Amino acid sequence: MNQKSEANVSSAKRSLALSFYTFLSRILGLVRDHFMAVSFGTGMVASAFSVAYRLPNMFRNLLAEGTLSQSFMPIFSEYEAMGKEEAKVMAGTVLSFLFLCLSLFVAFFWLFASDFLPALVGGSREYGELVVELSLVLFFLIMTASLSSIFMSISNSHHKYFVPSLSPIILNFSYLIVFIFAFPFLKELREKVFILAYGIVAGGVLQLIVQAVYVYKLGYGPVFKLNYKHPAIRKIFKLMLPAALGGSFYQIGLLVDIFLANYIQNANPGLGAVVSLDYSQRLVQLPTGIIGVALATTILPSLLKDLRAGEKEKVPKEILDVLCFGLFLTLPASIGLSILGETVLDAIYFGGKWDAIATKTAYLPLVFYSFAIPFYSTNKVLVSSYYAFQDTKTPLRVQFVSFFTSIGMSLALMAFLKHGAIALSSAIAASLTSVLLVFLLSRHSVSIPWKSLAFRVGKMILPLVGLVLWLFLGEILLKPFWMDWGKENYGLGHANLSRVSLVISIGPAIVIYFLLAGISRLSEADIVLGKLLRKLRRS
């Protein structure tokens, strides 16, 4: 494919390749979560690890997967237009300054974590100390993930997505290596969890090395200079500050959710609220990560290209195509997780220290989180669209409103829904964010073609109805029959029976959905099936 034709490939089509790579990572993530669930269950050690990992993960999501990378990319694009060497010096200056800031931040956390973390998480003294000790190990991930994000942004700006997509795969493999090769020789849960923490940090270091080596092979290796006065520093942080504040509302909201869940768990011993929310959210992140992150990553370079070429009139159509493609893929995921929630939880987590009570505890939050899957993915695309206009203040204001909406609803509903209130509030806040971000695009003279959007979404109704009917049939009629028959005739355990039941439900559901989508002449189906059919013909 020549450069011209490659440049004309749409964001939706590019996102397919990235979605596939992300899909592999998320599948490994499910295997990782299975080992976590059966190894630690929902007890004190599991809760402590969830809280300790959430802290660096919050900053990783804020910096590595959003604000930093998306603020960096437009500036890198500007400097690359001036010359390759200018772009390399700019990237090296940003990396040097970032390394210094992160070093100070990590050192500050190490010094003061033991003073404030136990008071935040509550519970017993043993629990608080375990959270602190694990946090001191895992917090180093902020350093490796944030620096990796700069290298990944350089690769993505040239539409190179494969090696950047390896980062989460490497991290998941670091988990699995510890589970498979270290855990069989360890007996104490405390010993296991610390070995796992050190293994994860080693995976983070490997992530950084892989991304850096690839960028240097591309010929865009940064030239390191600690120049505080470089204009890119001020420009990036000018863009990044409101974006960081906006993104921090979402990330701090997740952190507040964990602390609220700790409060609910302490008030209801044995509930396992912290881990239940964590695992439910991870399942929802599977489609959100595969689809939403892929679309957001690919649309930003495309919008920047249109704006640089003075073709602003193409922007609404580009955003519309990406939003419709996202809805086409996320609506089935939302419906599927809502209907098959218990079966999914049992298929992935059941066994060892994860029992039927743990599944019931996690089911309601999973259903509530599932409702918001299309909104979580849409928000990633819309925020990227604002970044293309170098507008980070509007998302900040929107996320400010959503942040306090979520916390207010959580506090109001906790007495009735316990930890389920946290998931429901998050879903409602995500939908509010989507609505506000769409309407406020008009500030940049971008008007979403509402009639086209309604028409294209309306064409998805028939495939979605077919999907819902089959899933209800599978869950209500086929699952009980199969579970009894498989147990009596083959002696299969509950987890394996749930896995087979999931395949029986999901396999035909996918065929039905795409078949009806083809009959409805959905262009989104053609993007997926057309690519698949072309590959089959070539093979």
Side-chain angles (χ1 to χ4, degrees):
M1 182 180 287
N2 60 39
Q3 290 182 349
K4 184 177 180 181
S5 60
E6 186 176 355
N8 289 330
V9 178
S10 72
S11 299
K13 289 185 178 179
R14 281 199 190 99
S15 70
L16 275 180
L18 185 56
S19 293
F20 176 72
Y21 305 143
T22 310
F23 174 74
L24 295 179
S25 166
R26 299 292 174 168
I27 292 300
L28 285 173
L30 291 181
V31 177
R32 171 202 70 195
D33 289 346
H34 167 76
F35 279 107
M36 283 290 297
V38 299
S39 299
F40 299 111
T42 60
M44 184 192 74
V45 172
S47 296
F49 181 86
S50 292
V51 175
Y53 187 72
R54 179 58 62 91
L55 289 168
N57 198 47
M58 178 185 76
F59 288 101
R60 187 198 73 181
N61 290 335
L62 178 60
L63 296 174
E65 293 185 2
T67 304
L68 178 60
S69 57
Q70 291 179 326
S71 298
F72 173 84
M73 198 180 296
I75 311 301
F76 181 81
S77 180
E78 284 183 15
Y79 275 83
E80 191 176 11
M82 301 177 195
K84 189 174 181 179
E85 288 304 313
E86 289 284 342
K88 290 164 68 174
V89 170
M90 172 265 184
T93 303
V94 171
L95 278 166
S96 301
F97 186 73
L98 182 64
F99 177 78
L100 177 62
C101 293
L102 289 170
S103 298
L104 294 173
F105 183 50
V106 172
F108 178 84
F109 180 84
W110 283 346
L111 284 172
F112 297 103
S114 59
D115 295 327
F116 67 87
L117 269 183
L120 287 175
V121 300
S124 66
R125 180 179 178 181
E126 182 186 6
Y127 177 65
E129 289 177 350
L130 184 57
V131 170
V132 171
E133 290 172 13
L134 287 171
S135 297
L136 294 178
V137 177
L138 292 169
F139 209 73
F140 187 73
L141 285 173
I142 294 173
M143 178 80 74
T144 58
S146 300
L147 296 175
S148 294
S149 72
I150 296 294
F151 290 104
M152 292 163 66
S153 294
I154 295 172
S155 301
N156 287 338
S157 67
H158 296 94
H159 300 299
K160 304 293 185 183
Y161 301 116
F162 173 66
V163 173
S165 71
L166 291 178
S167 264
I169 293 175
I170 292 169
L171 195 61
N172 284 328
F173 267 121
S174 68
Y175 274 88
L176 297 179
I177 288 170
V178 173
F179 287 135
I180 295 170
F181 296 104
F183 273 27
F185 304 100
L186 304 172
K187 293 183 179 180
E188 296 293 328
L189 283 183
R190 187 183 177 89
E191 189 180 11
K192 286 183 178 181
V193 79
F194 275 100
I195 292 295
L196 179 61
Y198 284 114
I200 294 168
V201 171
V205 174
L206 184 59
Q207 274 183 323
L208 177 57
I209 293 171
V210 169
Q211 299 305 326
V213 168
Y214 182 66
V215 167
Y216 275 94
K217 284 189 175 182
L218 286 177
Y220 286 90
V223 178
F224 292 97
K225 289 183 180 180
L226 189 56
N227 179 8
Y228 304 104
K229 297 182 180 180
H230 194 288
I233 296 291
R234 178 176 293 181
K235 197 164 187 179
I236 284 177
F237 280 89
K238 184 180 178 181
L239 282 176
M240 189 177 164
L241 183 59
L245 289 172
S248 67
F249 283 126
Y250 174 71
Q251 296 301 331
I252 292 172
L254 295 179
L255 196 61
V256 170
D257 288 350
I258 287 295
F259 292 139
L260 290 175
N262 263 289
Y263 171 79
I264 294 169
Q265 183 170 281
N266 293 334
N268 299 270
L271 181 63
V274 174
V275 179
S276 298
L277 280 173
D278 199 13
Y279 282 131
S280 299
Q281 199 173 77
R282 287 184 189 182
L283 283 175
V284 168
Q285 287 170 353
L286 175 65
T288 303
I290 292 172
I291 301 161
V293 173
L295 289 171
T297 302
T298 55
I299 193 175
L300 182 55
S302 296
L303 293 180
L304 288 170
K305 171 181 166 291
D306 292 339
L307 294 174
R308 280 200 310 267
E311 297 175 334
K312 190 175 180 179
E313 69 279 358
K314 290 185 178 180
V315 170
K317 176 67 163 56
E318 184 80 38
I319 294 174
L320 175 67
D321 288 344
V322 171
L323 288 178
C324 288
F325 191 63
L327 289 173
F328 175 74
L329 296 175
T330 55
L331 285 171
S334 175
I335 292 168
L337 273 178
S338 300
I339 297 174
L340 304 177
E342 286 191 1
T343 307
V344 171
L345 289 166
D346 284 339
I348 298 171
Y349 302 134
F350 194 89
K353 294 185 177 295
W354 187 281
D355 55 17
I357 296 175
T359 294
K360 289 180 180 178
T361 305
Y363 175 63
L364 186 61
L366 177 60
V367 172
F368 287 147
Y369 278 133
S370 299
F371 293 157
I373 289 174
F375 299 112
Y376 292 139
S377 300
T378 297
N379 291 343
K380 292 180 182 296
V381 171
L382 292 171
V383 169
S384 285
S385 303
Y386 280 94
Y387 288 167
F389 289 99
Q390 298 189 19
D391 175 9
T392 54
K393 292 182 179 179
T394 301
L396 165 63
R397 297 186 183 104
V398 170
Q399 286 154 346
F400 176 83
V401 173
S402 298
F403 172 74
F404 285 103
T405 300
S406 178
I407 292 177
M409 292 193 64
S410 293
L411 293 172
L413 297 174
M414 275 168 47
F416 308 101
L417 297 173
K418 294 186 172 62
H419 60 306
I422 298 172
L424 177 60
S425 301
S426 175
I428 293 172
S431 63
L432 176 62
T433 300
S434 293
V435 171
L436 293 175
L437 287 175
V438 167
F439 280 101
L440 291 174
L441 273 173
S442 59
R443 293 185 175 185
H444 298 287
S445 302
V446 175
S447 178
I448 302 295
W450 292 107
K451 289 185 179 179
S452 296
L453 178 63
F455 176 73
R456 290 171 68 169
V457 173
K459 290 175 70 176
M460 298 179 194
I461 292 175
L462 177 61
L464 290 172
V465 169
L467 178 82
V468 169
L469 291 176
W470 173 259
L471 291 179
F472 270 121
L473 176 68
E475 190 71 1
I476 296 172
L477 297 180
L478 297 181
K479 179 184 172 181
F481 168 78
W482 162 252
M483 298 290 277
D484 292 339
W485 187 79
K487 186 176 181 179
E488 291 176 5
N489 292 277
Y490 293 98
L492 294 175
H494 184 75
N496 285 327
L497 288 168
S498 297
R499 289 164 193 149
V500 176
S501 178
L502 202 58
V503 172
I504 292 172
S505 293
I506 292 178
I510 294 173
V511 174
I512 291 169
Y513 183 69
F514 277 97
L515 180 63
L516 294 176
I519 293 172
S520 301
R521 297 181 179 275
L522 281 168
S523 58
E524 292 79 14
D526 185 59
I527 292 174
V528 179
L529 296 178
K531 191 177 184 72
L532 178 62
L533 291 173
R534 284 193 296 273
K535 284 191 174 183
L536 288 174
R537 290 192 192 103
R538 283 199 297 268
S539 63

